[in-house]
Amino acid sequence: MSTFDSGRFEPLKLFLPADRSDWPDCSPEEWGNWGWQLRNRITALEDLERRIDLTLEERAGVRLSGGKLAMAITPQFWGIIEKSDPDCPIRRQVIPNIAETRSEPNEMIDPCGEDSHSPVAGLVHRYPDRVLFLVTDRCAAYCRYCTRSRLVSNASGYDFHPETENILAYLQAHAEVRDVLLSGGDPLLLSDAKLDYLLGRLRAIPHIEFLRIGSRIPIFLPQRITPGLIAVLKKHAPVWMSIHTNHPRELTTEVKEGLDRLADAGVPLGNQSVLLRGVNDDPTVMKALVHKLLMCRVRPYYLYMCDLIQGASHLRASLQSGIRIIESLRGFTSGYAVPQLVIDAPGGGGKVPINPDYVIFQDEDKVLFRNYEGKVFEYPEAERAAMADPEIRRLMELVTLDRR
Ligand SMILES: *Cc1c(COP(=O)(O)O)cnc(C)c1O
Ligand code: SF4
């Protein structure tokens, strides 16, 4: 068992409902209503203090970090925090810590250089054929390591980005864009009507083939996955979705039911995790997470190294731990369960895959490599192998003679 696995939540692989005991008067209908969940979010120090014994670092963190990144925690997500454990992996993701006010020399406000690849505010066009469209600046809850904390501010209403018309005009004019990733903030905080309108406008642009939504709502607020939302997603199908989970306990009964509704509606699901110290930088934890994801019909997609965002150094895990996790999965479990480890290159180079080294030696004749068990194998280079065959060499010589 992992050191991160504690209390009533053992073992890691069970689907359990979130604990509702902090809202004793709430009816099942209220709990299941996303408006109720949003209205009852924990956003203030007094709210927190009433419900949990904060550490000194957390109390100072809540007081001092609010100006940079708002605090908000849905009752649903609150219900998976192990209140008696100051190192709870869920708690570390959403309760501010004084360490957030520290900034290291290599940290940045815009760690992936998104602003420098932004032709219109709210749009990042870094890759040849696809764009990132930041549709809103709000989230259901705020992750303390958020790479877009410079944008995600809880500042404006649940409305479109103010530049939306200019963004749509840019997309219309750029026929090379075939893939639009809606993110933010969280696009699923938009109303069904607004989402329907936006997806409709994008679908009307003929060269846009692939639409996807990046959202943490299925985890923070699975109650948002209503029949109305499902109808919108089906209307504009195919719409793919990348969810964001980091720890197996985040996959509760409510989350699984929400993911089932999405999968039943034909929404292909992937997951992105961020490797976080004390949260999921442990092969046992990640293995439980990817297995639970497959049970929910979600394909693990990326495992990100934490971006060099200001104030997140206490949550950053080592690259070695990331590589060790991938090595502990590949070969040992279903290939579908293995995400791609990536670093979003600091300053703006895009996502770069980082893999365990399986190649031991390579020259023009052959490659020597090891398998997941450490056994060594050899594979001959194709052209050389062909040329080594006397019959093929004779034929090649004839062709060469012919051309003279
Ligand atoms: C992550 C990202 C994408 C999508 O990348 P994929 O590897 O296709 O998932 C597109 N644009 C930007 C700016 C991104 O950060
Ligand atoms: S859900 Fe995503 S955008 Fe929102 S705070 Fe978390 S990491 Fe940032």
Side-chain angles (χ1 to χ4, degrees):
M1 262 309 125
S2 146
T3 46
F4 306 133
D5 200 9
S6 57
R8 78 170 190 92
F9 294 102
E10 281 184 78
L12 281 170
K13 262 170 110 169
L14 281 183
F15 290 92
L16 294 168
D19 173 20
R20 305 178 185 191
S21 61
D22 268 354
W23 286 268
D25 303 327
C26 143
S27 68
E29 291 69 36
E30 283 174 319
W31 188 269
N33 178 290
W34 66 286
W36 184 91
Q37 289 278 339
L38 283 178
R39 282 191 301 279
N40 286 279
R41 286 186 297 181
I42 293 171
T43 55
L45 181 58
E46 312 79 74
D47 271 359
L48 271 180
E49 302 256 42
R50 250 204 336 265
R51 298 183 156 93
I52 199 169
D53 289 326
L54 290 179
T55 64
L56 289 174
E57 291 78 16
E58 287 169 335
R59 187 169 302 116
V62 179
R63 287 227 174 85
L64 294 172
S65 67
K68 232 177 70 201
L69 176 66
M71 174 182 73
I73 308 167
T74 53
Q76 166 70 35
F77 203 68
W78 182 259
I80 56 170
I81 292 177
E82 179 64 85
K83 311 296 184 295
S84 61
D85 178 8
D87 298 321
C88 165
I90 308 300
R91 174 177 186 152
R92 285 172 71 74
Q93 297 182 57
V94 289
I95 296 187
N97 191 292
I98 189 66
E100 289 177 28
T101 59
R102 202 171 59 213
S103 82
E104 311 262 322
N106 52 9
E107 291 178 342
M108 294 167 261
I109 294 180
D110 175 17
C112 304
E114 292 183 337
D115 294 345
S116 61
H117 286 87
S118 182
V120 188
L123 190 78
V124 186
H125 191 174
R126 161 164 319 120
Y127 297 108
D129 67 342
R130 58 205 188 281
V131 295
L132 173 65
F133 183 171
L134 306 171
V135 297
T136 164
D137 66 357
R138 292 200 169 203
C139 291
Y142 294 98
C143 311
R144 305 322 299 173
Y145 52 85
C146 177
T147 201
R148 298 208 187 96
S149 53
R150 71 187 190 286
L151 304 173
V152 169
S153 62
N154 222 21
S156 62
Y158 296 109
D159 214 334
F160 293 133
H161 192 282
E163 291 290 324
T164 296
E165 277 307 319
N166 292 332
I167 291 170
L168 289 168
Y170 178 90
L171 295 177
Q172 181 78 50
H174 285 260
E176 73 275 21
V177 177
R178 44 162 288 286
D179 170 1
V180 177
L181 163 53
L182 301 179
S183 182
D186 204 311
L188 296 187
L189 276 185
L190 296 176
S191 66
D192 294 348
K194 288 208 168 87
L195 206 57
D196 181 27
Y197 173 81
L198 188 61
L199 291 172
R201 292 287 303 273
L202 291 166
R203 276 278 174 246
I205 301 174
H207 51 265
I208 295 178
E209 302 166 354
F210 190 57
L211 282 178
R212 45 177 162 164
I213 294 176
S215 173
R216 212 177 175 193
I217 288 259
I219 310 301
F220 282 151
L221 189 63
Q223 294 82 358
R224 171 70 186 96
I225 306 164
T226 57
L229 177 67
I230 293 291
V232 170
L233 295 173
K234 278 177 115 164
K235 176 174 167 192
H236 301 284
V239 178
W240 291 51
M241 193 176 291
S242 290
I243 67 164
H244 170 181
T245 51
N246 298 320
H247 188 278
R249 200 191 299 161
E250 294 172 36
L251 296 169
T252 60
T253 316
E254 295 90 341
V255 168
K256 178 157 195 321
E257 287 166 3
L259 294 171
D260 280 344
R261 292 194 287 277
L262 289 167
D264 287 347
V267 177
L269 297 168
N271 180 65
Q272 321 199 78
S273 292
V274 181
L275 190 67
L276 298 169
R277 198 198 310 170
V279 174
N280 58 7
D281 57 338
D282 173 303
T284 313
V285 171
M286 279 305 291
K287 189 177 264 180
L289 174 64
V290 295
H291 285 168
K292 283 181 85 175
L293 285 165
L294 289 190
M295 287 188 262
C296 297
R297 288 177 277 177
V298 181
R299 166 82 158 99
Y301 182 41
Y302 284 141
L303 173 61
Y304 289 93
M305 291 308 298
C306 191
D307 290 328
L308 300 177
I309 189 72
Q310 264 178 20
S313 56
H314 61 299
L315 288 171
R316 204 174 311 133
S318 70
L319 181 61
Q320 272 319 309
S321 69
I323 291 174
R324 230 179 18 249
I325 284 169
I326 301 302
E327 273 183 318
S328 77
L329 295 174
R330 175 63 66 201
F332 291 96
T333 191
S334 326
Y336 273 118
V338 186
Q340 174 65 60
L341 177 66
V342 291
I343 301 180
D344 214 332
K351 297 174 184 69
V352 178
I354 306 286
N355 296 305
D357 240 338
Y358 291 101
V359 172
I360 296 164
F361 171 84
Q362 189 171 20
D363 67 10
E364 49 201 18
D365 296 321
K366 63 175 180 302
V367 56
L368 278 182
F369 58 96
R370 68 178 175 93
N371 75 350
Y372 70 103
E373 303 161 303
K375 291 189 183 141
V376 178
F377 300 85
E378 180 180 325
Y379 186 85
E381 209 30 296
E383 273 144 63
R384 285 293 170 132
M387 290 304 283
D389 182 323
E391 181 58 16
I392 290 180
R393 202 160 52 220
R394 197 179 62 81
L395 287 169
M396 289 293 286
E397 272 157 19
L398 286 178
V399 173
T400 321
L401 284 176
D402 231 27
R403 279 215 203 104
R404 287 218 183 104

